[in-house]
Amino acid sequence: MATFFQFATCMYVCMFIAATSSTKLPAETNENVNNNPDWTLAMKKIEDLQRIVNMQNNCISTLEKRPIDADVQLLIQLQSTIKTQNEQILQLEERVRELEATIRDEDNQPNTPFAGGPLLESNQTDINPKTNLFRKARLLNIQPTKAPAEGVAFYAYFSSSSIPATSPHYILAFDKVITNVGNAYHPHMGTFIAPRSGLYVFTWTIRLWGHRYHNTELLVDNNVVHVTYCNPANVVDGSVTGIVVVHVDQGDDVLVRTGSQLNVGDIGNDFNGRSSFAGWILM
């Protein structure tokens, strides 16, 4: 609409100027025209029309340079957010499919029964190598935390008085947390994830009585670092404690689990003696 008005105005001005310029009037006629009120009014109208055209040109230029409307910008941002979320959903779905495939492969592989013999050496951590698949799946749910400036330390014990743990390589989840400086211990998984590299101390205690006996292992990054064994032989109500000083890299997992053999009965835990797990950074 504005463009049509501009065009019509320009055509009117051009035709008027062309008509007046093509007619040659005598000098005295020019003087009479200039003194004619109608002529003066016509020229004033032309000047007004030129000002209007200039104002419209300025408005059009301003509109063309105006930034995108806020609603349009919001719509673009929402579209970008939706695209990003869709990509993240696809990545998560892919991870779930990989995890499901891992579990299916795990279920289809037969377990190798233990045939006796000495305990495993330090780096021979698994009777069945497929345990590594379970470890990777488990660690998908745990993310390392950033260590605070004051250091790293944790202490936890079992919340129940009797913990069934007769399966080999059963991870002991000490779920009653008393200390967790740095939030690097994850009680629901029984796993400590090192927030930074350094020299650490870890200690754990297992309480047993009656005909129960257990072999337990401390693992750092899936490597057995230390082993304990306790067999009260239905004579004493006792406990066994292991302690290690070991270097741990950032992101490595540390946990306590049952050994591959010699696991009978429940692990005890009450006000007479706690089964616990603790650790802290030295330097």
Side-chain angles (χ1 to χ4, degrees), residues 225-250:
V225 177
H226 190 36
V227 179
T228 66
Y229 175 70
C230 182
N231 185 354
N234 202 28
V235 176
V236 297
D237 180 341
S239 61
V240 60
T241 297
I243 185 168
V244 299
V245 181
V246 61
H247 177 84
V248 181
D249 291 326
Q250 181 179 10

Side-chain angles (χ1 to χ4, degrees), residues 33-99:
V33 169
N34 292 332
N35 294 328
N36 190 324
D38 294 337
W39 176 260
T40 304
L41 180 61
M43 293 301 296
K44 185 176 183 304
K45 292 289 186 181
I46 293 174
E47 292 176 357
D48 291 340
L49 289 173
Q50 289 176 338
R51 279 196 297 270
I52 292 173
V53 171
N54 291 335
M55 291 175 59
Q56 290 178 341
N57 287 335
N58 293 334
C59 290
I60 293 172
S61 178
T62 302
L63 290 173
E64 290 176 346
K65 296 178 180 179
R66 187 182 64 177
I68 300 175
D69 187 83
D71 293 338
V72 178
Q73 289 182 343
L74 179 59
L75 178 60
I76 293 175
Q77 292 176 357
L78 289 175
Q79 290 175 340
S80 177
T81 300
I82 292 173
K83 181 180 179 182
T84 302
Q85 291 178 343
N86 287 336
E87 292 175 352
Q88 293 175 346
I89 291 173
L90 291 176
Q91 293 175 358
L92 290 174
E93 289 177 345
E94 181 64 25
R95 292 183 65 184
V96 169
R97 285 193 292 269
E98 292 177 357
L99 182 56

